[in-house]
Amino acid sequence: MKLFSFWRSLATYRVRIALNLKGITPDEVIQVNLIKGDQRQAEYRAINPMMALPALIDGDGPILFESLAIVEYLDETHPTPPLLPRDARGRARVRGLAQLVACDSHPLIVPRVREYLEHELKLDEAARMKWCQHWHKAAVTALETHLSDKATGRYCHGDTITLADICLASQAAGAKFFNVDTAPFPNFSRIANALATIDAFARAHPLKQPGAPAS
Ligand SMILES: N[C@@H](CCC(=O)N[C@@H](CS)C(=O)NCC(=O)O)C(=O)O
């Protein structure tokens, strides 16, 4: 198994958590430096034409891409522990929470968008930061409301870790990168803090990866 990764990639963080929860260690972790723009080099474009991390190759392929699709693949091929509830309504809620992060929020703050704001729309750093913080806060605000539902337990959905928690952890790490204060969001913060104490999450954290800065 080969994982294409970079310390700062929040989408790859999601896959790293799932791999750890499932007890899978990739044979090879290939670094694609997003800061240098290596995701746009021909070599990686051939792996993922979207020029985004993560990508995963399991055995003789095909190449897997998009973090949620990869996590669900890992869940289907390694069912223990399950990352989705058994009931259809529970699965819909967990997938909804996950997509809120991975589809509605995170894509708005990735390097290609920030670089477009900078180079094409000529927004200065303060304006770009305002953009990122705005979309972070919108997602965390929506998550907080969802998490006040009685379906929430110790974690996002009951007392078992699910795909929604994997995504919440990535949102929490992103909020730190972009200086978004999550203290006004008690459910979000409580779950993020609980997840941070779990080894599979702690080991996968962006700042624990090769090449990451100390803080
Ligand atoms: N929806 C995708 C997002 C993938 C994505 O945008 N990844 C970021 C890093 S977290 C990336 O590689 N961006 C490269 C760029 O924006 O140029 C997923 O969840 O896998």
Side-chain angles (χ1 to χ4, degrees):
M1 187 180 277
K2 284 188 199 174
L3 174 67
F4 294 81
S5 176
F6 186 59
W7 68 267
R8 202 186 149 97
S9 163
L10 298 172
T12 313
Y13 177 30
R14 297 193 276 270
V15 170
R16 283 195 303 262
I17 298 167
L19 286 165
N20 289 346
L21 288 168
K22 300 288 183 184
I24 307 167
T25 306
D27 301 294
E28 206 180 335
V29 178
I30 298 152
Q31 301 295 326
V32 179
N33 189 320
L34 295 182
I35 296 169
K36 288 191 185 153
D38 289 352
Q39 70 275 31
R40 293 187 285 270
Q41 298 295 326
E43 205 183 334
Y44 187 68
R45 229 170 39 228
I47 301 290
N48 185 357
M50 191 59 191
M51 298 178 273
L53 289 171
L56 185 89
I57 305 178
D58 187 11
D60 54 7
I63 297 165
L64 305 177
F65 50 92
E66 289 288 336
S67 62
L68 296 185
I70 295 173
V71 172
E72 288 216 24
Y73 167 82
L74 294 172
D75 200 34
E76 287 169 17
T77 51
H78 299 77
T80 311
L83 297 176
L84 288 168
R86 293 166 76 125
D87 62 303
R89 286 182 183 173
R91 279 198 300 280
R93 178 169 185 266
V94 165
R95 286 188 173 121
L97 293 171
Q99 288 173 24
L100 196 158
V101 171
C103 307
D104 292 349
S105 167
H106 178 211
L108 293 165
I109 57 98
V110 291
R112 61 188 175 277
V113 170
R114 300 203 310 273
E115 285 164 23
Y116 188 85
L117 295 175
E118 180 178 0
H119 301 301
E120 295 295 323
L121 303 185
K122 309 292 180 203
L123 297 187
D124 63 19
E125 198 185 337
R128 298 197 306 275
M129 189 56 127
K130 195 172 170 191
W131 166 282
C132 292
Q133 290 177 333
H134 172 81
W135 293 116
H136 263 290
K137 276 188 213 142
V140 178
T141 303
L143 281 173
E144 182 64 24
T145 307
H146 281 300
L147 294 173
S148 65
D149 189 274
K150 64 179 184 335
T152 304
R154 180 167 165 74
Y155 302 115
C156 288
H157 193 78
D159 296 331
T160 309
I161 289 170
T162 64
L163 175 63
D165 297 297
I166 292 177
C167 290
L168 184 144
S170 73
Q171 187 78 38
K176 285 229 169 67
F177 286 160
F178 291 97
N179 288 327
V180 173
D181 181 14
T182 54
F185 305 97
N187 292 307
F188 179 91
S189 300
R190 174 183 64 76
I191 296 171
N193 290 338
L195 295 170
T197 66
I198 297 169
D199 179 65
F201 285 75
R203 274 192 292 125
H205 193 275
L207 296 177
K208 291 282 163 51
Q209 305 314 305
S215 60

